[in-house]
Amino acid sequence: QVQLVESGGGLVQAGGSLRLSCAASGSIMSILSIKSMGWYRQAPGKQRELVAGITSTDSTNYADSVKGRFTIARGSAKNTVYLQMNSLRPEDTAVYYCRATISGSYWGQGTQVTVSS
């Protein structure tokens, strides 16, 4: 089993930056078996949506709304994934969740990102 813990959320003004971190814990075998990791977000009254994803081979994909502003990357140890968020907008306000996939999906508890106008 893999456990995920997000950090780095907070309150920031429009145009600012934040870096979210997701740390995966568990057996080394489980961590190395992760097929992909991703960041999702959910705003009040809206569906949870994919923000960015990265595979074990470092292939990435992004939602159109964040392309050019957000960057997802895995740490050197491969047990951490980051989401660098630049040029933040009020519409980026949401709870951001980390997800890891092996045979099934594992989710973190989420971290709140609030962008003020």
Side-chain angles (χ1 to χ4, degrees):
Q1 187 175 347
V2 172
Q3 295 81 45
L4 305 174
V5 179
E6 303 100 331
S7 63
L11 175 64
V12 65
Q13 293 183 351
S17 298
L18 285 173
R19 188 177 75 163
L20 305 184
S21 298
C22 175
S25 62
S27 70
I28 295 177
M29 184 175 181
S30 293
I31 293 173
L32 293 179
S33 297
I34 294 174
K35 297 178 180 178
S36 65
M37 298 187 72
W39 287 96
Y40 291 71
R41 67 186 181 187
Q42 187 167 22
K46 294 185 178 295
Q47 299 294 313
R48 187 173 298 185
E49 63 177 351
L50 173 69
V51 177
I54 187 167
T55 69
S56 60
T57 57
D58 290 335
S59 177
T60 60
N61 66 290
Y62 298 90
D64 288 341
S65 60
V66 307
K67 286 181 179 178
R69 300 189 297 121
F70 292 9
T71 302
I72 188 170
R74 293 170 65 89
S76 297
K78 304 299 182 183
N79 67 332
T80 305
V81 65
Y82 303 97
L83 184 68
Q84 179 66 46
M85 305 185 294
N86 298 325
S87 302
L88 283 162
R89 305 165 180 168
E91 54 263 40
D92 294 319
T93 296
V95 176
Y96 284 70
Y97 298 90
C98 181
R99 188 182 80 162
T101 60
I102 302 178
S103 58
S105 296
Y106 299 85
W107 293 88
Q109 289 291 103
T111 184
Q112 177 70 48
V113 171
T114 302
V115 184
S116 62
S117 300

